Amino acid sequence: TITSGGGSIDKTLLPSTTAPYVCNSPGYAQSADLTTAQQTFHVGDRICFTLRVDFPTGSATRNPVVTDFLPPGTRYEAGSMAITGNDTAAVANFNEAAAAAGTASPTWTLGTSTSGALYLPRGAVFEARIAVIVTTAAPTRVGQISGNLMKARGENTAGQAISLRDREDVIIAPTPDVGITKGVANVNCGTANPPNTDNVTVREGDV
């Protein structure tokens, strides 16, 4: 969580050990408070994040935008974005199509249109959940830490810039080692041998 006079921003992660792993499950936490196992994900896994911004209470916020920069080796899961029940901020636009196509980072344009600009009232809260899918394994034999950076920007009614950011780290696992086990399953369709059975006597004509 990052807090300043211009509000606060908080990003949390659903631990990989959550079962079943669905984004509306409870238990989101800061990655710094999780074990290595809880932060580790493999190719094909879904990773769920909650994104929250508490906007300033002293003045309205003009033209607020929230952007989520996905961890390397992941892609936004199409249709996964959901606004939570804690949200009080009007969402003018979310770039679902571009995010799903991978041509842009997931971005929320917030506020209600007034006099040619978008405004959020004092103390508005933005909160949403998204999921990403791991597409690429770590290039090394150990897990690779990948950061997921979230930014919020806007300005107050006095024209002063508001800029907030928070980051959660996940660990992308490497491709598992592949082993080959070969043994004699059976001879002449007889009794099946246990896996990896070697040194079985066979004679000419045996199958």
Side-chain angles (χ1 to χ4, degrees):
T1 303
I2 306 298
T3 303
S4 74
S8 66
I9 189 169
D10 186 35
K11 185 162 194 178
T12 50
L13 164 71
L14 187 64
S16 61
T17 51
T18 304
Y21 197 88
V22 291
C23 291
N24 61 358
S25 298
Y28 282 79
Q30 306 284 339
S31 57
D33 297 325
L34 300 177
T35 65
T36 297
Q38 291 174 315
Q39 295 179 68
T40 300
F41 296 85
H42 300 78
V43 170
D45 284 351
R46 171 185 291 116
I47 310 176
C48 298
F49 296 97
T50 294
L51 299 77
R52 180 182 174 109
V53 181
D54 289 80
F55 286 93
T57 57
S59 66
T61 302
R62 180 165 52 202
N63 295 330
V65 176
V66 176
T67 303
D68 193 41
F69 299 91
L70 304 182
T74 69
R75 61 170 174 81
Y76 168 71
E77 182 178 9
S80 67
M81 195 282 288
I83 300 298
T84 78
N86 296 322
D87 181 87
T88 63
V91 177
N93 183 65
F94 173 67
N95 65 338
E96 170 70 34
T103 57
S105 298
T107 300
W108 295 257
T109 304
L110 308 177
T112 301
S113 180
T114 303
S115 301
L118 294 172
Y119 289 87
L120 287 179
R122 299 178 182 186
V125 174
F126 165 76
E127 189 175 278
R129 291 192 179 119
I130 66 167
V132 303
I133 303 296
V134 180
T135 58
T136 307
T140 61
R141 294 180 65 85
V142 296
Q144 175 175 287
I145 297 176
S146 293
N148 188 189
L149 180 65
M150 168 192 177
K151 293 183 179 180
R153 68 183 188 274
E155 57 185 34
N156 62 23
T157 50
Q160 296 171 320
I162 299 169
S163 182
L164 299 165
R165 62 175 61 198
D166 195 13
R167 167 178 164 148
E168 288 301 318
D169 290 333
V170 297
I171 300 172
I172 305 300
T175 301
D177 293 332
V178 177
I180 298 176
T181 300
K182 186 175 182 179
V184 180
N186 59 60
V187 177
N188 297 325
C189 298
T191 303
N193 295 316
N196 197 27
T197 298
D198 298 321
N199 301 315
V200 175
T201 301
V202 294
R203 297 178 174 82
E204 183 179 358
D206 283 345
V207 177

